[in-house]
Amino acid sequence: MTKKRKKGEDPAPKPAVPVTPMLDMAFQLLSFFILTFHPDAQFEVEMDLALPAPQSSKADKAENVDPTQVPDKVPDDELTDVPTITAVAANDAANRGQISSLAIERLGSAKPIANLEELAKVLKEEFKAEDFKGAIKVRGDSRLKWSAILEVMDACHKAGFTRVGFASPLDSAGN
């Protein structure tokens, strides 16, 4: 039988939890991980993108930007007939944001592609990078995850394309 305490007696002793040694250990672990962390170079990537020329004119103030203005001429180094890879996103719950279909378009004709491995193979065999000065464009669906776009860009780099640019994205309806 347990003995009940009476009203005037001292309360039952509470277990003592040593907080100071736990904090010391937490700081030691934190300093260990900070001092031994070395970012791995294989995860750091550099992307070569086809960006506008540095000598292109720009507005001096945000108010002076006219979104309806059309450029006077196409710059000489911009290639307008380069192949464009179109990636459409899956819209089902399990694969949302992943690639559902791929196609390579050039001069109005599109060639469907089954997967990323086939994309790299077709680019190497039929669309040689040297024929297009290493330039290619990628057009993604607006629902596509960024990681899927990077996988397409990796396939382009494997095929020898060094200047990967972006075409205007497909709208959310996939058109």
Side-chain angles (χ1 to χ4, degrees):
M1 269 173 66
T2 59
K3 190 171 150 186
K4 289 190 175 185
R5 295 190 174 267
K6 294 182 184 175
K7 275 190 176 180
E9 293 183 21
D10 291 335
K14 294 183 180 179
V17 178
V19 176
T20 306
M22 285 191 271
L23 286 174
D24 289 343
M25 183 58 74
F27 285 123
Q28 287 177 3
L29 287 171
L30 180 65
S31 62
F32 170 78
F33 287 118
I34 289 174
L35 295 174
T36 60
F37 176 73
H38 298 287
D40 197 357
Q42 71 182 1
F43 296 117
E44 294 179 11
V45 295
E46 181 179 313
M47 283 191 270
D48 295 327
L49 300 175
L51 299 174
Q55 68 270 16
S56 62
S57 62
K58 60 182 178 179
D60 55 349
K61 298 179 191 171
E63 299 85 35
N64 296 339
V65 175
D66 183 11
T68 61
Q69 185 177 4
V70 179
D72 296 335
K73 65 176 187 133
V74 176
D76 295 334
D77 74 335
E78 184 176 327
L79 302 172
T80 56
D81 65 339
V82 298
T84 302
I85 300 170
T86 303
V88 179
N91 204 20
D92 58 0
N95 299 315
R96 182 164 308 209
Q98 298 301 319
I99 298 172
S100 66
S101 67
L102 287 168
I104 300 177
E105 300 173 15
R106 181 161 184 265
L107 301 175
S109 65
K111 177 177 180 145
I113 305 295
N115 53 35
L116 292 168
E117 290 79 26
E118 183 183 343
L119 174 65
K121 181 181 175 186
V122 170
L123 286 175
K124 281 182 183 177
E125 294 173 358
E126 297 180 30
F127 299 93
K128 300 197 182 303
E130 51 271 1
D131 295 343
F132 304 102
K133 298 182 182 176
I136 194 165
K137 293 181 184 176
V138 177
R139 172 181 290 132
D141 191 339
S142 59
R143 298 169 299 195
L144 204 60
K145 290 184 179 178
W146 183 245
S147 61
I149 292 289
L150 290 177
E151 290 173 352
V152 173
M153 291 174 67
D154 286 342
C156 295
H157 282 286
K158 285 180 187 174
F161 288 91
T162 56
R163 296 174 52 203
V164 180
F166 294 104
S168 58
L170 298 170
D171 63 8
S172 60
N175 295 328

